[in-house]
Amino acid sequence: AFAGGNNRLTINGGRIVVDAAGDGIDANGTIVMTGGVVIVHGPTQQMNGALDHSGFTISGGLLVAVGSAGMAQGPGAQSTQPSLLLNFAGTLAANTLIHIQSSDGKDVLTFSSAKQVQSIAFSSPDLTKGATYHVYTGGRSTGSATDGLTAGGTYSGGTKYTSFTVSSVVTTIGARMR
């Protein structure tokens, strides 16, 4: 992350979709998100990340940022809305679904990137402290996709990748790739 910079990016609503060859959202400072939808189809090169910041506080809205895992960052521990930073053990092919559902079967995220993916930063009001979630890859959905984000429909046929319990505001799974 860029260590210097006094810039601050504030996102409090709207829909922002980024398709990046380099860093997806590079604040050269801090990011504060209180609402809205942010989708980042990030870089595939290890020297860049879907998010690049010196501090990210999220208290509302939906964040889905995918890309390479070499410089992957997500929201920070000062946030009030839970987030997940998942660095996959390998690389998912472009257009592979990433699906997250609660242990009681509620769909939380169904997403696919037009690019290959090694990392996902995800935050949503649907992530609840103390709850357990399952992450699946592949499969299919009968829902309709906009900017990679699928709404409605039924998800099926994926492979369970991992499970996690939201025990703190930031859950990190997997290591950065080099």
Side-chain angles (χ1 to χ4, degrees):
F2 183 76
N6 296 323
N7 298 323
R8 179 169 146 176
L9 171 64
T10 301
I11 302 165
N12 56 24
R15 183 180 186 95
I16 300 169
V17 180
V18 176
D19 184 346
D23 290 330
I25 294 179
D26 189 348
N28 284 336
T30 60
I31 301 172
V32 175
M33 183 172 171
T34 62
V37 175
V38 174
I39 299 169
V40 179
H41 298 267
T44 56
Q45 298 175 328
Q46 295 303 331
M47 63 185 177
N48 292 305
L51 301 170
D52 189 349
H53 57 80
S54 59
F56 187 156
T57 304
I58 187 166
S59 60
L62 175 67
L63 168 70
V64 181
V66 297
S68 58
M71 300 296 286
Q73 290 184 291
Q78 69 279 16
S79 298
T80 56
Q81 177 172 289
S83 65
L84 168 70
L85 177 60
L86 171 57
N87 294 312
F88 292 97
T91 301
L92 301 178
N95 302 309
T96 300
L97 286 177
I98 300 170
H99 180 75
I100 300 175
Q101 72 180 170
S102 62
S103 59
D104 61 4
K106 180 183 175 194
D107 292 343
V108 176
L109 175 71
T110 304
F111 181 80
S112 72
S113 176
K115 300 177 179 182
Q116 65 185 23
V117 172
Q118 295 175 334
S119 177
I120 180 170
F122 171 66
S123 184
S124 164
D126 293 334
L127 289 179
T128 305
K129 197 166 184 179
T132 298
Y133 299 88
H134 307 294
V135 180
Y136 297 86
T137 59
R140 60 199 160 283
S141 175
T142 60
S144 59
T146 303
D147 302 318
L149 193 60
T150 300
T154 303
Y155 175 82
S156 63
T159 302
K160 187 173 180 183
Y161 180 79
T162 192
S163 296
F164 66 96
T165 299
V166 178
S167 57
S168 62
V169 76
V170 177
T171 301
T172 302
I173 301 171
R176 290 179 171 181
M177 293 183 177
R178 294 291 173 203

